[in-house]
Amino acid sequence: MKGAAAAALSELEREIHAPGDGLDRLRLMPTPFVPEVRLHLAEDAIVWWARMEAAVGHALPPPYWASAWAGGQALARHLLDHPELAAGRRVLDLAAGSGLVAIAAALAGAARVVANDIDPYAVAAVTINARANRVDIDASGDDLLDNVDTGADLVVAGDAFYSRAMTARVLPFLQRAAATGADVLVGDPGRGHLPADGLTVLADYPVPTTEPSVDSSLRHVQVLRPT
C-alpha cells in the first residue's frame, strides 16, 4: 500500500477504535439493501468530514466511501443474487468507494477482485471493509481511466456517473473494456449523465440510501450493460 493510503488506513483504524457513538463516528453496520455485507460507514458523512478536516488542518477529499450509495447497493445486490456473473472471474470494481461491490463480487466467488479508487481514504476503507467481511480484495489507488487493458473479465461501476466530467472519462473506459471482451455492469440512480442509448437495462431496484443530503430514503436504481 502506497504512502498516502497507508497513512489513511492508520487514521481510519484509529477512528474505528475511538470511543464515542455520535454523528461524527464511523460505525460497522449492515448495508441496508445488502445486509450480507457490513461496512464502516459514517452516521453523518458531512459531519465526519468536517471534524477530520479540522483535526488534520487541511482539506480532505469528500468521503464518498463513508456512505452506501444507491448504485453500488444495487450492483452488489445484483451480483449476490446472480453469483454466476462473478464466480471464478477476475473482477474490477471501478471508483470503488467503500468497496461494497468488490466485496459482493468476492462473496459471489470471484477468482480475483481489484477495487480501484483514486482517493487514498477509499483505498483504506476497502481494506478495512474487506477485512470485516473476511474476503480478499486487492485495493488500488491508481488512475486507470486511460488504460486500454483492464485485466478483468467483469468490470463493475456503481455511482460513477455523478457529474458530466466524470462520465466523460468513465464511460469511454467502460466502452473500451466491453469492446475488448470484458463484461461491464453499471449501477446508476438516474442522475442524468448517462446517454439514453447504448445501454441495456438488466434490473431496476428501489434502494434504501444512506447517502447525505437526499430528499427520499429510497432511490430507484438501474443496473445496465453497454450494448
Side-chain angles (χ1 to χ4, degrees):
M1 183 174 289
K2 295 181 181 179
L9 178 60
S10 295
E11 289 184 35
L12 292 191
E13 287 175 331
R14 285 195 297 270
E15 285 287 300
I16 289 166
H17 296 105
D21 57 359
L23 291 178
D24 63 342
R25 308 308 313 180
L26 296 178
R27 188 160 61 92
L28 183 63
M29 64 183 79
T31 309
F33 200 54
V34 197
E36 301 95 322
V37 177
R38 298 188 303 161
L39 299 174
H40 291 90
L41 302 176
E43 193 75 20
D44 187 313
I46 294 174
V47 174
W48 185 90
W49 187 20
R51 180 174 64 78
M52 287 301 291
E53 287 193 325
V56 300
H58 58 79
L60 295 173
Y64 295 129
W65 54 268
S67 299
W69 297 86
Q73 290 196 67
L75 262 183
R77 180 77 273 147
H78 196 70
L79 291 179
L80 289 175
D81 289 347
H82 303 277
E84 69 279 2
L85 294 170
R89 308 184 82 189
R90 300 168 300 164
V91 179
L92 170 64
D93 180 12
L94 190 68
S98 66
L100 168 59
V101 185
I103 292 166
L107 292 174
R112 179 174 185 249
V113 183
V114 175
N116 173 252
D117 201 296
I118 61 171
D119 178 3
Y121 282 87
V123 174
V126 168
T127 301
I128 62 173
N129 288 329
R131 187 187 303 158
N133 289 277
R134 300 185 178 182
V135 294
D136 292 325
I137 292 172
D138 295 326
S140 163
D142 297 330
D143 187 338
L144 303 180
L145 293 181
D146 293 325
N147 290 6
V148 174
D149 182 11
T150 65
D153 307 304
L154 173 65
V155 181
V156 290
D159 290 289
F161 307 101
Y162 51 82
S163 70
R164 183 172 286 111
M166 188 66 173
T167 301
R169 291 204 70 206
V170 171
L171 190 57
F173 174 87
L174 297 178
Q175 290 168 335
R176 289 195 303 273
T180 54
D183 285 336
V184 174
L185 296 176
V186 303
D188 186 70
R191 291 191 172 89
H193 299 295
L194 277 178
D197 56 356
L199 294 163
T200 298
V201 177
L202 302 179
D204 194 321
Y205 298 100
V207 179
T209 179
T210 67
E211 61 194 82
S213 303
V214 294
D215 297 329
S216 172
S217 60
L218 286 177
R219 299 289 293 265
H220 287 275
V221 183
Q222 292 181 329
V223 174
L224 309 104
R225 169 183 285 147
T227 54

